[in-house]
Amino acid sequence: MSIVTAPDHPDTLAATPPRMRQALGRFASGVTIVTTADGPDKASVHGMTANAFTSVSLNPPLVLVSIANRARMNARILETGSYGVSVLARDQEPLSLHFAGAPQDPDPVRFVWRGDVPLLDGALVHLACTVQASHPAGDHTLHIGHVDRLWYDHGQPLVFYTGSFQWLETTPQPEPWGF
Ligand code: FAD
């Protein structure tokens, strides 16, 4: 194994915003749409694309989304106290572009409801969450959600890596959990 060492110079190692983006973009992730609503109709729904999503705890069931303070979604989650997470399948790139502010034609948005929470039809996973805590963290806010309901399906995930969408080829096999 070879280890690459960077010259120990402050400019080379500085954690500036562009270098943070470049470095952390090398952590491959799935892509989600975070949704929230203050009523039972489509007009009350707000959605946005997010990959800063992680599981936090199995018992109790907790997850976390990190939302930019300037995003409209941040204020909406604080108002509604709930959110949904739809983990996108690989054919749902148009949805991720749409909910990142680049509306698509034809309109790819179809919501399904799990209780009071809207989610995206065709996703691999649906989580319906109640906000348990919201922690300011720099220019983002971490919203920890208690998972009240979940649903999942088999399929190929959409992947985000170094600023672009990728596909991951997976082969069906028994799920080897146990760690
Ligand atoms: P807007 O920009 O107003 O809305 C987002 C888009 O969704 C708009 O085009 C709007 O028309 C559409 N939309 C909203 N609600 C509906 C609805 N009910 N029906 C139809 N369309 C609707 N930002 C983060 O803060 N955290 C992240 O983890 C994160 N990860 C990202 C990952 C990827 C791969 C990408 C591409 C972007 C990511 N972003 C993330 C950026 C974020 O998605 C955008 O900044 C987004 O535009 C912020 O949304 P907003 O809440 O400010 O609302």
Side-chain angles (χ1 to χ4, degrees):
M1 183 175 79
S2 65
I3 298 176
V4 179
T5 54
D8 194 7
H9 185 281
D11 289 346
T12 317
L13 301 177
T16 60
R19 285 172 48 77
M20 283 287 284
R21 192 181 286 271
Q22 294 287 329
L24 298 176
R26 284 161 168 76
F27 187 63
S29 74
V31 182
T32 77
I33 307 298
V34 176
T35 39
T36 194
D38 53 15
D41 57 294
K42 185 177 175 179
S44 71
V45 179
H46 184 67
M48 70 162 259
T49 304
N51 69 337
F53 161 76
T54 189
S55 71
V56 172
S57 165
L58 297 182
N59 188 17
L62 301 175
V63 296
L64 177 157
V65 289
S66 178
I67 306 291
N69 294 333
R70 66 166 185 239
R72 291 206 303 143
M73 178 59 80
N74 199 46
R76 294 298 305 273
I77 288 178
L78 292 170
E79 286 162 14
T80 64
S82 64
Y83 62 83
V85 178
S86 300
V87 176
L88 296 187
R90 80 173 197 181
D91 63 351
Q92 294 186 304
E93 184 176 328
L95 278 176
S96 59
L97 293 170
H98 177 92
F99 282 104
Q104 301 290 294
D105 188 16
D107 180 1
V109 180
R110 294 187 314 281
F111 294 115
V112 294
W113 293 77
R114 307 271 182 199
D116 296 335
V117 179
L119 293 131
L120 272 304
D121 193 24
L124 291 181
V125 177
H126 288 161
L127 306 177
C129 306
T130 301
V131 176
Q132 188 167 89
S134 296
H135 300 288
D139 54 12
H140 281 56
T141 298
L142 310 179
H143 298 282
I144 295 176
H146 181 278
V147 181
D148 301 318
R149 299 170 192 232
L150 68 77
W151 172 94
Y152 61 90
D153 199 0
H154 296 288
Q156 307 281 338
L158 184 61
V159 172
F160 196 62
Y161 179 67
T162 59
S164 63
F165 295 100
Q166 313 273 344
W167 291 352
L168 180 66
E169 291 299 336
T170 60
T171 47
Q173 56 187 334
E175 298 187 1
W177 306 123
F179 49 84

